[in-house]
Amino acid sequence: MPETAFDVAILSDFRYPGGTSASIAAEVQAQAEAALSTVLVHVPSPHQPRALPFSPRISELLRDGVATLARDGEPVSCKLLLVRQPRIFTEDLAVPPEIRAERTVMVINQAPGDVGNPSRYYDFAAVRDRVHRYFGDDVEWAPISSQVRDLVRRVAPDAVLAPADWHEIIDVAHWWRDRDGFVGDVPVIGRHGRGDPVKWPLDPEEIRQAYPERDDVRVRVLGGGEIAVQRLGQKPDNWDVVRFGAEAPEEFLRTIDFFVYFHDPDLVEAFGRTILEAMASGVPVIIGEHFRPTFAEAALYGTPADVQRLVAELYADPARYREVVSRAREFAERRYGHQSHLARLAEFGLRSKLTPPKADQKPVGGSKRRVLMVSDNGAGMGHLSRLMAIARRLPAGMETVIATQSYAASVAHQEGFLTEYIPSRKVLDAAQPRWTAVLRARLAHLIELHEPSIVAVDCLPHPGIVEAVRDHPEIVWVWVRRAMWQRGVGADWITEGKVFDHVLEPGEFASPADAGPTVADRANVHQVGPITFLDERELLDREAARTELDLDGRPAALLQLGAGNINDIASPIARICAHLSGHGFQLVLAESTIATRPMPKVPGAKVIKIYPVSRYLRAFDLTVSAAGYNSFHEQIGFAVPTVFLPNTSTRLDDQLGRARFAAATGVALTVEDPSSAELEQALDQAVRPEVRAGLANRCRELGSAGGGAAAAAWLSGLPENTWRMA
């Protein structure tokens, strides 16, 4: 029988009655809305009763033709395979499914255990071995939340996990219900979910505090209420306990004013989907502080003892109640809406197959939506390259204008972008007040001239930018904020950046070593994978690259030490070149395309001044490089053996931390003090072919990219309030 080709295959046990099936259904619906095809591959889990039917949510998808169910023994071909529920693999599969996938992601939607026993539910190492045996060693492991990530790290410190969580998604428009006011003449507290003892507090007193037995409060419970009643010894008179499945969650949530959820203290809740459903439905949520990493400021936090006070305060203040509801709905749409799922699918090369927006929905300035991208870098290319990496992947219905303080404005123009130059403060030799006024006025002029609907800023939020944001609330402002700041530096910038509507964070390979202030400010940040200007398929092959660079048959080394002070790097360059020449390497020095002073002359070394250098990386057997964001992720993402010489003079970028992490994970060698013999020692290792092969293989195992496409998909799919109707 011929294989059926699909965009996405989802493998799971579709009999789960709770969050697993709800999550799968949400992703399938989002994929269908983007005209992406989905096939469901059912694999029974050994801990599920054999007679259990499919979840109604899954049955509806199949009945409506939104997804296809793979037949037993039928081979399936897909671009992306998503595997959900690790407990399926606690035993060997009787008949492993025959699936051919370009990429495979194991979504860790359940923690291996809980606080008391981290391996209570499954042995992570055993599950991992089986998954790799069935689907290959290239499976990518993506926790569903930071809570699951932390517990996996606890039981398997060596686990290689995706940089971003594979979070839940929700269709807010489907769940949302307009409300005229409160449900009745007293507050109605409620919760819904499948019946499971760990979903309730162990202490009966905490149950009474969270769901009080009082005449001036009503309590409604959909699913699992009998567990609480058993712990209390009787059902309180003001409680309405409804059997799980007797009411649709969407309808149940219309009958309560407050969603309150507390559980067994040992439980590690994988995500909290019912919480997200309540937010999307317009019901304020009261939950424990441990959920803050997932729901940020969209919920009210406390203990069971705080519930009655929080309920009373909000019930007495309808205006504040509506404010909480509005904030939660906006958060749910922005952070966990369907577009967030389509953005991450774009990282795997899966993009919507639908046509652009309707003709009667026009952006400011005409028939195409326009993005103004603003970059820093008077003396560098990093910020500008990241913005161009996103811009070149935007859909055809969006136009880009680049406005940069970089001397490389001509490079952006050569890449085909309409480009505007903003003189930097250094160029103008201006005091801060004058510079603020100049930057504010320049941005106002560019906004009036080009009429963008979105402005994306990849630089620090200088006062002139902050004032421009406040001057133009009709525009959506996005801060493209690289992570990996130095410890203890930049907290004030993060505070200033609160003025932006959104924060987009390019992925960071070294994120586990990130000790900077951005780590604590990720609650409302949209994260993508590492952003590189080119995709790997755009690189020249080795022969073509070497021909264009006029290289002979000897091994070749590329030196690119950034656009810093030439005097600081002249001595290391001379020593590197002398050492590598002695080992038979031909040498190429990459001079910054915006360098105002030439590279030092090195006998026998070729100097190139091209953009992007990454297009030629396959020509080289070795690179010696600074550890700035762009070159770091290009060399690791494209598996180029590298010796990193981190620039420790940068005031914000933690190149040293980035390079140390690369060395610790085995993807590169690092020299922290190039003035010492450490430099020659590292080069002695790097010239050995077996060492370079090991570094390249490790890069292929751990490296990732694709963030540019994901960022472009997310940016182009920002909510409709970024448009003005014609």
Side-chain angles (χ1 to χ4, degrees):
M1 181 181 295
E3 292 183 356
T4 304
F6 293 90
D7 293 308
V8 182
I10 300 179
L11 183 152
S12 188
D13 185 333
F14 302 115
R15 301 171 299 167
Y16 283 98
T20 297
S21 293
S23 302
I24 291 170
E27 292 187 1
V28 172
Q29 290 286 1
Q31 288 152 201
E33 291 170 7
L36 298 173
S37 59
T38 305
V39 61
L40 303 182
V41 183
H42 175 65
V43 177
S45 178
H47 68 278
Q48 284 277 71
R50 293 192 177 277
L52 202 66
F54 274 15
S55 161
R57 291 186 175 96
I58 302 299
S59 297
E60 288 175 9
L61 295 174
L62 298 173
R63 182 195 64 204
D64 296 342
V66 179
T68 300
L69 181 66
R71 299 176 182 175
D72 290 344
E74 176 185 7
V76 172
S77 177
C78 62
K79 293 180 181 177
L80 174 64
L81 169 62
L82 299 176
V83 183
R84 279 183 172 269
Q85 188 41 264
R87 294 180 73 183
I88 292 173
F89 303 97
T90 53
E91 297 178 6
D92 288 343
L93 301 183
V95 182
E98 186 179 343
I99 303 176
R100 293 199 311 172
E102 295 177 13
R103 300 274 293 276
T104 300
V105 175
M106 178 71 197
V107 180
I108 313 174
N109 63 313
Q110 182 177 12
D114 53 32
V115 175
N117 182 353
S119 298
R120 183 184 302 277
Y121 304 121
Y122 61 90
D123 180 334
F124 180 84
V127 166
R128 177 175 55 186
D129 289 346
R130 288 190 179 95
V131 169
H132 285 174
R133 190 196 323 155
Y134 297 138
F135 305 112
D137 293 333
D138 294 334
V139 174
E140 301 167 55
W141 293 73
I144 202 170
S145 67
S146 60
Q147 295 95 307
V148 173
R149 181 181 295 271
D150 292 344
L151 202 57
V152 170
R153 289 288 189 204
R154 183 175 167 188
V155 299
D158 64 332
V160 179
L161 303 178
D165 296 334
W166 195 279
H167 58 71
E168 300 269 15
I169 65 166
I170 196 163
D171 182 357
V172 174
H174 170 77
W175 286 84
W176 180 258
R177 297 293 186 273
D178 290 324
R179 293 169 178 254
D180 297 329
F182 296 111
V183 171
D185 54 1
V186 297
V188 182
I189 294 172
R191 55 176 281 169
H192 73 287
R194 61 183 174 84
D196 190 327
V198 299
K199 298 285 187 177
W200 288 90
L202 283 174
D203 186 350
E205 182 56 29
E206 289 190 348
I207 296 177
R208 292 188 182 94
Q209 290 173 335
Y211 312 96
E213 183 177 3
R214 293 172 42 169
D215 292 338
D216 59 350
V217 173
R218 286 179 56 212
V219 175
R220 296 202 77 222
V221 179
L222 173 63
E226 66 280 359
I227 298 168
V229 169
Q230 183 179 23
R231 289 181 181 170
L232 292 175
Q234 63 177 6
K235 183 175 81 68
D237 291 339
N238 66 324
W239 278 36
D240 179 16
V241 177
V242 183
R243 177 179 54 83
F244 182 75
E247 295 181 21
E250 299 94 316
E251 299 306 318
F252 170 81
L253 288 166
R254 298 182 67 179
T255 69
I256 66 174
D257 299 309
F258 300 90
F259 183 91
V260 177
Y261 179 58
F262 291 93
H263 55 69
D264 185 319
D266 273 355
L267 174 66
V268 176
E269 185 74 67
F271 185 85
R273 180 168 185 86
T274 58
I275 298 169
L276 182 60
E277 290 171 350
M279 289 180 174
S281 299
V283 181
V285 167
I286 301 173
I287 50 180
E289 182 66 34
H290 57 285
F291 282 110
R292 189 180 291 273
T294 302
F295 297 108
E297 301 308 313
L300 302 174
Y301 298 97
T303 66
D306 297 319
V307 170
Q308 295 182 51
R309 173 183 58 82
L310 292 170
V311 166
E313 289 175 356
L314 270 191
Y315 196 78
D317 188 348
R320 186 181 167 219
Y321 182 98
R322 289 192 295 271
E323 178 186 338
V324 171
V325 167
S326 177
R327 183 171 68 236
R329 178 188 180 179
E330 189 277 334
F331 171 84
E333 179 66 59
R334 170 171 44 83
R335 184 77 173 272
Y336 299 123
H338 279 190
Q339 189 58 42
S340 68
H341 181 58
L342 298 181
R344 66 190 176 196
L345 290 182
E347 296 190 46
F348 296 89
L350 291 167
R351 295 176 176 82
S352 173
K353 299 177 181 178
L354 297 180
T355 55
K358 297 177 181 178
D360 61 345
Q361 194 175 26
K362 297 179 181 179
V364 179
S367 61
K368 289 190 176 182
R369 201 175 182 192
R370 186 169 292 129
V371 182
L372 174 63
M373 294 187 163
V374 180
S375 90
D376 209 328
N377 279 108
M381 276 288 296
H383 299 267
L384 178 58
S385 283
R386 271 192 302 278
L387 288 181
M388 290 195 297
I390 298 170
R392 66 194 298 266
R393 295 173 172 89
L394 287 170
M398 298 189 78
E399 294 180 343
T400 302
V401 179
I402 299 285
T404 180
Q405 299 171 49
S406 172
Y407 300 136
S410 60
V411 174
H413 180 71
Q414 291 167 10
E415 289 295 321
F417 296 108
L418 177 59
T419 307
E420 302 276 4
Y421 177 57
I422 303 176
S424 67
R425 181 182 176 186
K426 181 179 179 180
V427 168
L428 295 175
D429 192 22
Q432 181 64 58
R434 180 182 171 228
W435 164 239
T436 296
V438 168
L439 184 55
R440 179 183 184 183
R442 182 71 170 132
L443 288 173
H445 169 71
L446 294 176
I447 289 169
E448 181 181 7
L449 178 65
H450 297 292
E451 297 184 306
S453 57
I454 301 172
V455 177
V457 178
D458 192 328
C459 67
L460 294 174
H462 302 292
I465 292 175
V466 171
E467 292 183 12
V469 174
R470 291 175 175 147
D471 291 342
H472 297 278
E474 77 282 4
I475 293 173
V476 170
W477 291 80
V478 177
W479 186 10
V480 182
R481 189 186 72 190
R482 186 201 63 223
M484 209 72 192
W485 294 11
Q486 296 195 35
R487 185 196 301 268
V489 178
D492 291 345
W493 290 120
I494 290 177
T495 300
E496 291 295 324
K498 300 294 184 184
V499 72
F500 287 93
D501 299 302
H502 304 278
V503 178
L504 174 67
E505 183 175 292
E508 174 63 65
F509 174 79
S511 61
D514 192 346
T518 63
V519 174
D521 187 57
R522 286 188 175 141
N524 296 311
V525 170
H526 183 80
Q527 295 176 288
V528 297
I531 293 178
T532 55
F533 184 77
L534 298 179
D535 294 328
E536 187 169 8
R537 58 181 170 76
E538 297 179 277
L539 272 60
L540 294 176
D541 63 37
R542 181 176 176 84
E543 182 178 354
R546 290 175 75 93
T547 298
E548 287 205 21
L549 296 178
D550 195 24
L551 299 178
D552 57 36
R554 292 175 297 161
L558 172 70
L559 279 67
Q560 48 177 0
L561 299 179
N565 190 327
I566 293 297
N567 294 327
D568 293 338
I569 61 176
S571 176
I573 286 177
R575 289 168 56 210
I576 293 166
C577 291
H579 203 82
L580 291 179
S581 294
H583 286 277
F585 277 74
Q586 54 191 320
L587 303 165
V588 176
L589 279 61
E591 184 173 21
S592 170
T593 53
I594 57 173
T596 55
R597 296 174 60 187
M599 293 286 287
K601 293 186 180 299
V602 177
K606 180 189 299 291
V607 177
I608 60 173
K609 190 173 183 178
I610 54 178
Y611 183 86
V613 176
S614 58
R615 193 181 306 278
Y616 302 86
L617 283 177
R618 288 192 177 129
F620 300 101
D621 303 274
L622 174 68
T623 67
V624 181
S625 172
Y629 180 91
N630 293 350
S631 56
F632 180 84
H633 288 99
E634 287 169 349
Q635 273 122 228
I636 293 175
F638 302 149
V640 182
T642 301
V643 177
F644 284 118
L645 272 64
N647 181 353
T648 57
S649 65
T650 57
R651 63 191 178 106
L652 196 65
D653 190 25
D654 186 9
Q655 289 200 21
L656 181 59
R658 193 178 281 129
R660 283 175 173 170
F661 185 79
T665 52
V667 299
L669 303 176
T670 291
V671 176
E672 296 188 18
D673 182 7
S675 66
S676 71
E678 180 188 359
L679 176 61
E680 281 77 12
Q681 292 167 1
L683 295 175
D684 282 339
Q685 292 185 62
V687 297
R688 294 164 54 192
E690 69 273 17
V691 171
R692 298 198 304 274
L695 295 175
N697 288 335
R698 191 63 171 159
C699 286
R700 294 186 188 98
E701 290 176 7
L702 301 183
S704 63
W714 174 79
L715 199 67
S716 63
L718 283 173
E720 290 184 1
N721 60 14
T722 62
W723 295 70
R724 287 182 185 172
M725 302 302 291

